[in-house]
Amino acid sequence: SVEVGELAAQMNSRPDQIRPVVHGLASAFWECAKARLADELFLQAMTQVSTRPEINQLLLECYLAKKEDIMQSTSAFGMALPEYQHLDWRIDVELGRRSVYQDANFTFMMRLDVDNGEESSVQLQADYANMKNLQKELESAVAEAKTAHSMRFQRYIV
């Protein structure tokens, strides 16, 4: 690329010597932005790159200057999932009919409002058995989200 060639000319070096350094720093900045590292954690990570504090401080200044641009780039490659906005619900109870007096049927009605760039609503209707199954699945999903394997994936998806 032209930028690496210009940088190499300024440093009296060859582009094939500069390119791995530029790619390494870009990768380090990308990972730090994805992890949303604070300044002191960024400096700790950069001590692996350079032991000289003045170089680490320059890297921090460069990172802070471009952090917003990096965050916008990382969000462009992330997954855009709908975001919860609001949930309205009600329970409809049928206590009996002409032919059956001791029958109670419960129906759960829900409207889930989500925002995925534009507001949309999803209408849901379920009986008691399906609601119990939904509760069980949601509880197992919450338990799974707390495992170490899921936490690692969550860090990379952000």
Side-chain angles (χ1 to χ4, degrees), residues 2-70:
V2 175
E3 293 83 13
V4 173
E6 291 174 4
L7 181 62
Q10 290 174 0
M11 298 178 70
N12 296 326
S13 188
R14 295 190 328 255
D16 60 330
Q17 292 174 327
I18 300 297
R19 190 170 288 115
V21 174
V22 171
H23 287 300
L25 285 174
S27 177
F29 283 3
W30 180 271
E31 292 299 325
C32 290
K34 267 192 350 186
R36 292 181 168 83
L37 291 184
D39 298 354
E40 58 275 354
L41 292 175
F42 178 82
L43 282 174
Q44 286 178 358
M46 289 299 114
T47 56
Q48 298 174 2
V49 175
S50 172
T51 56
R52 293 177 46 194
E54 60 273 4
I55 292 177
N56 291 340
Q57 194 61 37
L58 286 172
L59 288 172
L60 176 63
E61 290 172 13
C62 180
Y63 172 72
L64 292 176
K66 297 295 181 178
K67 186 176 182 178
E68 290 303 318
D69 295 335
I70 296 169

Side-chain angles (χ1 to χ4, degrees), residues 25-129:
L25 285 174
S27 177
F29 283 3
W30 180 271
E31 292 299 325
C32 290
K34 267 192 350 186
R36 292 181 168 83
L37 291 184
D39 298 354
E40 58 275 354
L41 292 175
F42 178 82
L43 282 174
Q44 286 178 358
M46 289 299 114
T47 56
Q48 298 174 2
V49 175
S50 172
T51 56
R52 293 177 46 194
E54 60 273 4
I55 292 177
N56 291 340
Q57 194 61 37
L58 286 172
L59 288 172
L60 176 63
E61 290 172 13
C62 180
Y63 172 72
L64 292 176
K66 297 295 181 178
K67 186 176 182 178
E68 290 303 318
D69 295 335
I70 296 169
M71 291 300 291
Q72 288 175 352
S73 297
T74 57
S75 65
F77 290 109
M79 295 182 350
L81 298 174
E83 293 183 20
Y84 166 82
Q85 296 296 317
H86 187 71
L87 176 69
D88 284 328
W89 62 274
R90 74 171 193 246
I91 299 175
D92 290 339
V93 180
E94 180 183 13
L95 296 175
R97 287 176 259 158
R98 285 185 195 174
S99 59
V100 180
Y101 294 111
Q102 299 298 323
D103 189 25
N105 293 327
F106 300 96
T107 305
F108 298 90
M109 307 288 288
M110 294 176 279
R111 188 184 80 216
L112 177 64
D113 297 329
V114 294
D115 183 21
N116 52 355
E118 59 193 46
E119 286 215 15
S120 61
S121 294
V122 178
Q123 303 286 334
L124 304 168
Q125 179 178 347
D127 60 354
Y128 179 76

